[in-house]
């Protein structure tokens, strides 16, 4: 008996190509993400990372660098405004109100950095107020810890060994030597202010941009580029023009001594002191970038949070350790300790707050860009302070101030373009190696 079996080949009337369900075709197309094989099944090796090469590395690098520059620009603007406020209030306190306590002011201003983390924590809490406090705190501590581990290991993607190592000892050691360099550099300004002329003080101390670039070559593996060298040189020339241009002839009458004559005998020593301070300030910026900033490839948000956290560590170290010279200065009579009162106290509070804002913004700026660009950007404050003095006192800007300010601004924009290109190339390299963190991770 022969049993009639259906043929093994499929019918050719076209019904085999019709979907069993009406939306089957649409369901398959949604599942395949447009990367399916001939039968509509999703390609596993494609669906795992569907957007890894959705755009070219050049485009991704440009977008990431542009975003980082936008964040850095905001902090640059904040740092410039806060520095002008700090400079004007500090000058008013010392010259108009007569409260001249240089080291005490240095101790208070640097100690105020300890508040940076608390203020930042409050802002972050407002942004994440829908999270419970426990979840928010665990996430914040984890971010700080893992970023510190990235700083120590110089790895964006932590290895098992790096993730299991505590970063506390490394961060304490780094805080100690970075803060020491900063304090000696800042203290040299106060020591030299009564030993040399204001022109020498301004010109020499602001040469720290040159020293920052010099230290960046061995410590940060910066390449010696003509455009950067030229930009730093133009900025330095601009500072010299502001400091020494249009100097009024202050001729004293017979038997009378000018202020320039009074400091002449100590001028060489004062210039040496402020020169050492300028070198140390450039070194401080590079040391901070090398040993306390996360590696290239992290998100701007994570870099900003960690920069302010490290600024708070500097402030805490200042409060706990750098009070020691205060009793010594008081007993020797070099600087008698005295609390400010009345208007001096309120103005000092404003100056200290402005300094903390400037310092936090400046640390973020270095972290997101480079010490060289940040140093040249800080030179813009020379021209801004001159403008504010013009509006405040009515004394018009001198031709030297205008020319020097223009040179500094030109140098800043040239260096910004050069740094932007370098950051773009570095970001592209990390994107190709998949060593870039998304903003959601921060």
């Amino acid at each position: 008996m022969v049993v009639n079996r259906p043929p093994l080949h499929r019918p050719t009337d076209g019904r085999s190509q019709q979907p069993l369900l009406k939306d089957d075709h649409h369901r398959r197309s949604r599942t395949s993400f447009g990367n399916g094989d001939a039968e509509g099944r999703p390609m596993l090796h494609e669906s795992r990372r569907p957007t890894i090469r959705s755009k070219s590395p050049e485009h991704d690098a440009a977008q990431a660098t542009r975003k980082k520059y936008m964040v850095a620009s905001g902090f640059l603007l904040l740092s410039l405004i806060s520095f002008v406020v700090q400079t004007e209030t500090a000058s008013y306190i010392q010259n108009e109100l007569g409260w001249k306590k240089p080291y005490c002011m240095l101790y208070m201003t640097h100690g105020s950095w300890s508040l940076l983390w608390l203020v930042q924590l409050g802002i972050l809490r407002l942004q994440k107020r829908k999270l419970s406090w426990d979840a928010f705190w665990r996430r914040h501590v984890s971010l700080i810890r893992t970023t510190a581990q990235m700083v120590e290991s110089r790895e964006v993607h932590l290895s098992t060994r790096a993730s299991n190592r505590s970063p506390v000892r490394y961060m304490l050691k780094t805080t100690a030597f970075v803060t020491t360099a900063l304090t000696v550099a800042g203290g040299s300004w106060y020591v030299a202010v009564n030993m040399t002329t204001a022109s020498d003080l301004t010109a020499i101390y602001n040469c720290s941009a040159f020293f920052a670039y010099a230290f960046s070559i061995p410590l940060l593996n910066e390449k010696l580029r003509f455009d950067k060298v030229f930009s730093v040189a133009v900025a330095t020339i601009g500072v010299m023009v502001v400091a020494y241009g249009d100097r009024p002839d202050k001729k004293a009458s017979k038997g009378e001594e000018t202020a320039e004559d009074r400091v002449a005998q100590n001028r060489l020593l004062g210039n040496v002191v402020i020169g050492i301070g300028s070198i140390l300030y450039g070194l401080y910026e590079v040391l901070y970038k090398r040993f306390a900033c996360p590696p290239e490839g992290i998100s701007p948000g994570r870099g900003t949070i960690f920069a302010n956290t490290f600024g708070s560590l500097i402030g805490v170290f200042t409060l706990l350790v750098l009070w020691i010279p205060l009793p010594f200065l008081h007993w020797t009579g070099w600087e008698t300790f005295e609390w400010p009162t009345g208007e001096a106290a309120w103005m000092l509070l404003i100056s200290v707050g402005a300094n903390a804002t400037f310092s936090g913004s400046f640390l973020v700026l270095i972290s997101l860009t480079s010490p060289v660009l940040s140093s040249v950007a800080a030179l813009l404050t020379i021209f801004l302070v001159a403008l504010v003095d013009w509006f405040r006192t009515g004394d018009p800007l001198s031709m030297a101030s205008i020319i020097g300010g223009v040179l500094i601004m030109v140098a800043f924009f040239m260096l910004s373009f050069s740094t932007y290109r370098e950051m773009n190339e570095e970001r592209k390299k990390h994107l190709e190696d998949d060593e870039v963190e998304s903003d959601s991770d921060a």
Side-chain angles (χ1 to χ4, degrees):
M1 179 178 178
V2 180
V3 179
N4 293 328
R5 295 182 179 179
L8 294 177
H9 65 275
R10 297 184 180 183
T12 58
D13 58 356
R15 288 178 297 171
S16 62
Q17 304 301 319
Q18 293 180 0
L20 296 177
L21 299 175
K22 291 182 179 180
D23 63 342
D24 183 64
H25 173 71
H26 300 288
R27 188 156 43 88
R28 286 201 315 246
S29 63
R30 286 196 302 268
T31 306
S32 65
F33 296 99
N35 293 318
D37 60 5
E39 295 180 356
R41 291 191 299 269
M43 300 291 287
L44 295 180
H45 65 280
E46 291 289 337
S47 61
R48 286 173 60 192
R49 301 181 70 177
T51 60
I52 186 172
R53 289 291 181 265
S54 59
K55 297 177 181 178
S56 66
E58 291 83 357
H59 182 272
D60 291 340
Q63 287 290 100
T65 306
R66 191 176 297 113
K67 182 171 184 179
K68 180 178 282 191
Y69 244 59
M70 290 296 294
V71 175
S73 298
F75 281 100
L76 171 62
L77 182 62
L78 183 61
S79 68
L80 294 177
I81 295 173
S82 56
F83 185 86
V84 171
V85 174
Q86 183 228 337
T87 302
E88 293 295 333
T89 51
S91 176
Y92 180 75
I93 291 169
Q94 295 188 71
N95 299 325
E96 302 294 332
L97 302 180
W99 195 81
K100 297 183 179 181
K101 309 292 179 183
Y103 186 81
C104 186
M105 183 176 290
L106 177 70
Y107 176 76
M108 290 182 178
T109 52
H110 287 186
S112 69
W113 297 14
S114 58
L115 300 175
L116 289 172
W117 176 74
L118 288 175
V119 173
Q120 174 182 257
L121 188 69
I123 296 174
L124 292 174
R125 181 56 184 161
L126 288 175
Q127 294 176 343
K128 305 291 183 181
R129 55 185 175 272
K130 293 184 179 180
L131 288 176
S132 65
W133 170 256
D134 290 339
F136 168 78
W137 178 252
R138 285 195 304 269
R139 181 177 179 180
H140 183 71
V141 172
S142 175
L143 185 143
I144 298 296
R145 177 185 171 83
T146 53
T147 309
Q149 290 170 333
M150 292 177 187
V151 171
E152 182 178 9
S153 64
R154 311 308 299 171
E155 300 173 353
V156 176
H157 302 295
L158 294 171
S159 62
T160 303
R161 181 180 179 183
S163 61
N164 291 331
R165 183 189 302 139
S166 173
V168 174
R169 183 178 178 182
Y170 174 83
M171 294 309 302
L172 290 177
K173 181 175 65 175
T174 303
T175 301
F177 71 77
V178 170
T179 307
T180 301
L182 169 65
T183 305
V184 175
S188 68
W189 190 91
Y190 291 105
V191 172
V193 69
N194 293 320
M195 300 174 66
T196 186
T197 64
S199 300
D200 288 357
L201 194 71
T202 302
I204 297 174
Y205 193 69
N206 285 290
C207 286
S208 59
F210 172 79
F211 295 112
Y213 188 41
F215 286 119
S216 294
I217 295 173
L219 293 178
L220 300 179
N221 297 321
E222 283 260 10
K223 296 178 181 178
L224 189 62
R225 297 173 55 133
F226 173 77
D227 53 354
K228 281 194 170 184
V229 174
F230 183 73
S231 299
V232 173
V234 170
T236 304
I237 292 172
V239 174
M240 297 294 179
V241 170
V242 173
Y244 295 110
D246 289 347
R247 298 180 67 186
D249 295 330
K250 296 182 179 178
K251 295 183 179 179
S253 60
K254 188 175 181 180
E256 198 174 308
E257 190 180 36
T258 64
E260 296 285 334
D261 295 330
R262 286 193 293 270
V263 300
Q265 56 184 352
N266 294 322
R267 185 172 181 176
L268 177 60
L269 179 60
N271 288 348
V272 171
V273 171
I274 198 61
I276 294 173
S278 179
I279 294 172
L280 285 177
Y281 198 81
L283 178 62
Y284 147 72
E285 294 175 321
V286 177
L287 288 177
Y288 165 69
K289 180 68 174 181
R290 171 62 182 83
F291 296 105
C293 288
E296 180 64 31
I298 68 158
S299 65
R302 183 187 287 267
T304 301
I305 292 171
F306 193 77
N308 283 314
T309 302
F310 188 78
S312 283
L313 291 178
I314 293 177
V316 171
F317 182 87
T318 300
L319 293 175
L320 296 180
V321 178
L322 299 180
W323 62 270
I324 297 174
L326 287 173
F328 176 78
L329 294 173
H330 180 76
W331 291 332
T332 57
W334 289 352
E335 182 180 311
T336 305
F337 182 78
E338 180 184 358
W339 285 107
T341 57
E343 186 181 3
W346 285 107
M347 295 302 294
L348 182 61
L349 186 63
I350 296 173
S351 182
V352 165
N355 178 267
T357 304
F358 163 75
S359 302
S361 303
F362 193 67
L363 290 175
V364 172
L365 190 62
I366 295 176
S367 180
L368 296 183
T369 56
S370 73
V372 183
L373 178 62
S374 302
S375 294
V376 174
L379 299 182
L380 295 172
T381 57
I382 298 175
F383 186 59
L384 290 177
V385 169
L387 283 175
V388 172
D389 286 340
W390 177 23
F391 288 114
R392 189 171 64 87
T393 64
D395 295 333
L397 290 175
S398 65
M399 184 58 64
S401 297
I402 296 174
I403 295 175
V406 170
L407 288 174
I408 293 172
M409 286 189 288
V410 169
F412 171 71
F413 286 118
M414 288 193 303
L415 191 59
S416 296
F417 180 71
S418 176
T419 305
Y420 181 86
R421 286 192 306 171
E422 276 192 335
M423 290 172 59
N424 204 26
E425 293 169 2
E426 189 71 18
R427 194 79 176 183
K428 177 184 173 183
K429 177 182 176 183
H430 285 286
L431 278 169
E432 291 174 345
D433 296 336
D434 292 334
E435 294 181 358
V436 174
E437 178 191 52
S438 66
D439 290 325
S440 61
D441 297 329

